[in-house]
Structure formats: structure tokens, C-alpha cells
Amino acid sequence: MNIQYVQGDCIFTRINKLTKQYEYLTENIDTDVIIVGGGVTGAILGYYFNKNNINAVILEKSRIAHGSTSITTSLLQYELDSNAMMLKSYTSIDKIIRSYELGIKALDEIEEFIDKYGNTCDFKKVDSFLYTAKDIEKKELEEEYKVRNEAGLPVEFIEKGNNPFSFDVKAGVLSKGGGAKFDPYRFTHNLLKVSCEKGLRVYENTEVVGVNYSENGVTVETIYGHKVKGKIVIVATGYNTELFTKRAFGTKSTTFNIATRPINNIEDIYNGVNVRDNEVPYNYIRTTGDNRIIIGGEDINFLPDIFNEELCSKSYYKLEQRLKNLFPKLSIEIEYKYCGAFASTQDNLGFLGKDPKNSKLWYCLGYGANGILFAMLGGIMLSKLYLGEVDEDLKLFKVDRFDS
Ligand SMILES: Cc1cc2nc3c(=O)[nH]c(=O)nc-3n(C[C@H](O)[C@H](O)[C@H](O)COP(=O)(O)OP(=O)(O)OC[C@H]3O[C@@H](n4cnc5c(N)ncnc54)[C@H](O)[C@@H]3O)c2cc1C
């Protein structure tokens, strides 16, 4: 079934001009690694495999970065969707701390890429703020602060008395330098540009419609009949995994976003910090390079026909009111409204690695709120794995970790 996972005026494909169009596949080709999916995840994989001198091809069924990459808020932060104490029943504090550390490693890798190849995507390192406006949740945030502080992460506990923000805060954890933000569309295109200059091949409008495994490798068939032969295939198709496996990955919901028109001096008022509240479902806020505010939230269970206008309008309206309540002094006009599927897992981590029953089928699925950072880790660890180096941390993201 062709399910629609993104809907509305997707901000990042609206505010950006097309930087490059890639050709579609018109012949049979050979490679070593076939990456299916040309979103930010596929581009990250392409970059790391290419960097490690591994022959790789990316096949994208429609256009580069037009899936959830076109709407991801791109709050890049090491913390997970849920607080450590909530996650404890699905995993361990040690694993949670390790995930935080890996998140920081992924953030550093993005910064390294930007430093080396230029900041073409409004990348900015910022603090990250998790807060509540409810007295009753104060203890929960104190616990989160304690976990992170004891792990040596640079955090500050915020209360009414030291609240640097204009909005009401009863308690909050401010992660110093714990976050970043960028334009995911431009980041994806720059990753591909850099990698294609060094030999990566990318095909747009080239849907993979069949997969056949043999003793020596794998052959994928594309929509107009041309085939790509490789040693392994990596699924970087976001929420479209049915072609490759019957395995169910994560629980899908729909999340809603609105983005304002550019606002003067927004960074002065707001410090440019990535913000998330402690509601269930939570709301998340960031500013963009051209001084807009994006606010997201209002998550509901995902249904393929959920994109109905009335429901969307209600959710967008609630987000707009929330934003206006938070920043009553700002002149807020909404320019973009969009929503899309989002998948979460019990331990808030994505899936990276080999299929347990098929060593030629690999996954890089950045599920959870930190999808982009997980994709970075996937790029690093899977390219090493291809070269025979097993990273111990891959265990955290094992595809079959929830199988009983
Ligand atoms: C509203 C929203 C907010 C989010 N906010 C954040 C955030 O703040 N931080 C964060 O880290 N993550 C966030 N996420 C998650 C984030 O979207 C993902 O981590 C990331 O964008 C996923 O990129 P992707 O490349 O895996 O998926 P996609 O961008 O969807 O790319 C998958 C690609 O695969 C292609 N494809 C599918 N099937 C085939 C096939 N058979 N053949 C060829 N190509 C195929 C699709 O066309 C698509 O282009 C958010 C998600 C949503 C929806």
C-alpha cells in the first residue's frame, strides 16, 4: 500500500530552491552497497560509506529530501523523547547515559562535517531546554537533572528564580551546548554533493520495487526494470519498510508543525535555544536561520487516512495559540502548516544493523525524536561493520532487541 507519510506546506522544501536534480537509473549497474532511500538518512549513509572508500549507490523513489526530511524540525539534541526515569523500565540507566553520550558524538560529527565542507545549512550549536510549567512535575525534572549531572553532562537546573526565559518555568534542565539545529534539506544536499564528487552515485525517481537475495549478494529491481547488483542492501526508507520485511518497527503517530513568518530580533528574545516541554505528548520549539519559529506537537495515533483537513486545522490552531501564549509580545503570523508520521520505540532508540535472519539486509532507521543523530551513528557504525569492525554500541540499536 502506498501510504502518505507527509502532508501540507513542508517548510524546508518551500523555503529552499532546488540545488541539484539527480538523474534516474537507465541501465543495469553493479555496486557493493545499495542504499534505498534518498532522505537525510540515505545521504548520511552515502557520505560515510563513500568516506570509507566503499562503493555505494543511493536509489530514491521520488525526489531527494522530500520525505520526512522535508518536515523534520531538526532539533538535534542528545536527550531522548522520555526522561531517564520513565525509560528505566524498558532499558537501564547505563544504556540511557550511553545513548546520551552517543548523541553528543553524533552532534560533534555533524559539526566536523560543517567545519570541513562549509555551513550551507544554517547549522548552529545551541543549548537545549527541557521544562515544565507545572509544580507537580518539578520532581521529575529534578531527577532528570540529577541523572545527567551525575553522568558528568553539562547541565543547569532552572527554577523560577534563575529562569532566563520570558515564559513561565517551574522547573527545567538546561543542557549547555547540548543541542544544535540546521536546515535538513540543505544538509542532505550538501552531504550528497560532497560524496558524489568522490564517486557516490545517486539516482532520483528510481523506486525499488523488488529485492532478490543470492549466495553472493543482492539484486534490486527498479520501477522501469533496471537492476542494481550489490553485496548488501541498506533500508533507509523511513517508515516504508514493507518491501523488505514484515517486521513491525516502532509505533507510529502523526505529529503537527507550524512555522511563522520571519520575526525581527527573535534570537535576542528567545536565545535560540531548542525547547521541549514535559507534556505528554510534548511540544517542541526551535528558531530557523531566517528567524522563524517552528513549534510542533499535538501528536495522535497514526492512521493512513489521518490527514483530514478538520483535524489538521484544529491541531494547527492549538499550536498557534500555544505559541502566542508563550510569546505574547511577538508579532506571530503563521506561514507554513504541515504534519507527518513519526515512529517511536520503547527505549526511544532507532534500528541500526543487520536483519537477524538475512546478513545481506541491513537497516538504518532513525526512529524516535533523535532520528538524525541515530542516522549519523548508523553511518559511522555500519560503514565500519561493512569493513569488518564491530562497534559494541551497535548492540543498543539491534533490530531484534524487542523480540521475545
Ligand atoms: C514533524 C516531524 C518532526 C521531526 N523532528 C525531528 C527532530 O527534531 N529531530 C530528529 O532528529 N528527527 C525528527 N524527526 C524524525 C525525522 O523525520 C527523521 O529522523 C528523518 O527525517 C528521517 O529521514 P529519513 O531519511 O530516514 O526518512 P525520509 O526523509 O522519509 O526518507 C526516506 C526516503 O525513502 C524513499 N523511499 C521509500 N521507499 C522507497 C523505495 N521502495 N525505493 C526508493 N526509495 C524509497 C522515500 O521516497 C523517502 O525520500 C521528525 C519527524 C517528523 C515527521
Side-chain angles (χ1 to χ4, degrees):
M1 188 169 32
N2 211 353
I3 301 173
Q4 193 185 354
Y5 288 113
V6 166
Q7 211 236 15
D9 280 332
C10 306
I11 180 170
F12 293 107
T13 41
R14 292 279 194 277
I15 61 175
N16 286 303
K17 293 243 179 327
L18 175 70
T19 43
K20 173 158 171 67
Q21 192 166 357
Y22 291 86
E23 61 186 54
Y24 55 87
L25 188 68
T26 53
E27 59 183 341
N28 294 341
I29 57 170
D30 283 2
T31 184
D32 289 329
V33 177
I34 305 166
I35 299 164
V36 187
V40 66
T41 303
I44 289 169
L45 286 171
Y47 170 72
Y48 279 102
F49 277 81
N50 180 263
K51 187 180 171 191
N52 284 297
N53 300 314
I54 304 161
N55 203 356
V57 167
I58 295 179
L59 305 172
E60 163 55 46
K61 82 169 168 189
S62 62
R63 287 168 291 170
I64 293 298
H66 275 66
S68 56
T69 300
S70 65
I71 61 166
T72 164
T73 318
S74 298
L75 293 173
L76 309 172
Q77 45 197 26
Y78 69 76
E79 60 202 63
L80 303 170
D81 301 79
S82 309
N83 298 332
M85 286 303 166
M86 305 269 240
L87 282 176
K88 221 171 59 167
S89 43
Y90 301 107
T91 177
S92 65
I93 290 289
D94 284 352
K95 285 183 181 169
I96 295 166
I97 303 290
R98 186 62 194 142
S99 315
Y100 290 170
E101 288 165 356
L102 288 171
I104 293 169
K105 176 178 165 176
L107 280 165
D108 290 345
E109 283 275 323
I110 294 176
E111 196 174 14
E112 204 176 291
F113 175 86
I114 304 284
D115 286 348
K116 190 160 179 194
Y117 297 107
N119 190 353
T120 60
C121 60
D122 293 334
F123 173 83
K124 191 169 177 189
K125 253 191 125 164
V126 289
D127 296 343
S128 200
F129 187 48
L130 166 70
Y131 84 101
T132 180
K134 295 179 184 160
D135 278 322
I136 199 169
E137 290 175 2
K138 210 171 160 182
K139 187 161 178 280
E140 200 181 318
L141 291 196
E142 277 169 0
E143 283 170 348
E144 181 63 21
Y145 167 77
K146 203 165 156 237
V147 168
R148 292 199 218 169
N149 191 39
E150 280 174 5
L153 297 164
V155 279
E156 190 181 330
F157 191 70
I158 304 293
E159 301 173 90
K160 213 172 168 191
N162 65 347
N163 175 15
F165 301 98
S166 59
F167 49 87
D168 186 27
V169 173
K170 291 291 184 304
V173 184
L174 185 67
S175 288
K176 298 286 200 173
K181 53 192 176 178
F182 63 23
D183 178 321
Y185 179 85
R186 284 195 255 148
F187 179 63
T188 302
H189 269 285
N190 206 30
L191 282 165
L192 295 182
K193 179 174 177 278
V194 164
S195 311
C196 286
E197 280 165 8
K198 295 182 186 159
L200 176 74
R201 286 173 289 169
V202 178
Y203 297 94
E204 271 181 288
N205 296 305
T206 303
E207 180 174 1
V208 172
V209 291
V211 194
N212 292 300
Y213 302 96
S214 66
E215 218 176 289
N216 302 328
V218 52
T219 303
V220 303
E221 192 168 328
T222 63
I223 188 143
Y224 300 118
H226 301 294
K227 292 182 178 161
V228 182
K229 235 172 157 184
K231 296 199 173 101
I232 61 162
V233 58
I234 310 186
V235 181
T237 50
Y239 310 118
N240 312 261
T241 51
E242 302 81 7
L243 179 70
F244 304 92
T245 178
K246 290 196 172 68
R247 183 174 278 280
F249 294 100
T251 310
K252 289 190 194 83
S253 44
T254 298
T255 184
F256 298 85
N257 274 205
I258 55 172
T260 67
R261 289 188 191 284
I263 301 172
N264 283 341
N265 306 324
I266 180 72
E267 297 274 326
D268 302 344
I269 299 159
Y270 184 61
N271 303 334
V273 173
N274 288 342
V275 174
R276 176 161 74 84
D277 67 24
N278 198 45
E279 300 280 326
V280 180
Y282 58 74
N283 299 282
Y284 42 97
I285 304 176
R286 65 162 281 195
T287 47
T288 63
D290 60 352
N291 295 331
R292 301 168 192 274
I293 307 180
I294 302 176
I295 179 169
E298 291 301 317
D299 302 11
I300 50 167
N301 289 341
F302 178 80
L303 293 170
D305 64 349
I306 203 67
F307 299 118
N308 86 58
E309 240 175 79
E310 199 188 330
L311 179 89
C312 289
S313 300
K314 272 190 195 156
S315 306
Y316 297 141
Y317 178 76
K318 281 192 203 161
L319 288 171
E320 185 174 346
Q321 293 316 306
R322 191 161 295 134
L323 195 57
K324 286 179 172 165
N325 288 338
L326 279 172
F327 304 108
K329 290 192 183 138
L330 291 182
S331 150
I332 288 172
E333 274 182 76
I334 306 303
E335 185 163 9
Y336 298 108
K337 301 174 181 178
Y338 46 93
C339 60
F342 173 83
S344 30
T345 59
Q346 288 167 344
D347 57 7
N348 290 185
L349 302 181
F351 297 97
L352 310 173
K354 294 182 188 180
D355 185 280
K357 292 191 183 136
N358 181 353
S359 62
K360 297 178 183 83
L361 172 61
W362 294 24
Y363 302 94
C364 188
L365 302 172
Y367 294 0
N370 302 35
I372 297 169
L373 298 188
F374 297 151
M376 291 299 291
L377 297 171
I380 299 166
M381 295 197 275
L382 295 183
S383 54
K384 279 191 190 159
L385 186 66
Y386 187 83
L387 297 172
E389 200 183 315
V390 182
D391 194 312
E392 271 301 297
D393 290 317
L394 256 185
K395 280 191 192 142
L396 285 174
F397 301 91
K398 261 174 80 168
V399 170
D400 57 353
R401 65 186 186 276
F402 301 121
D403 292 2
S404 43

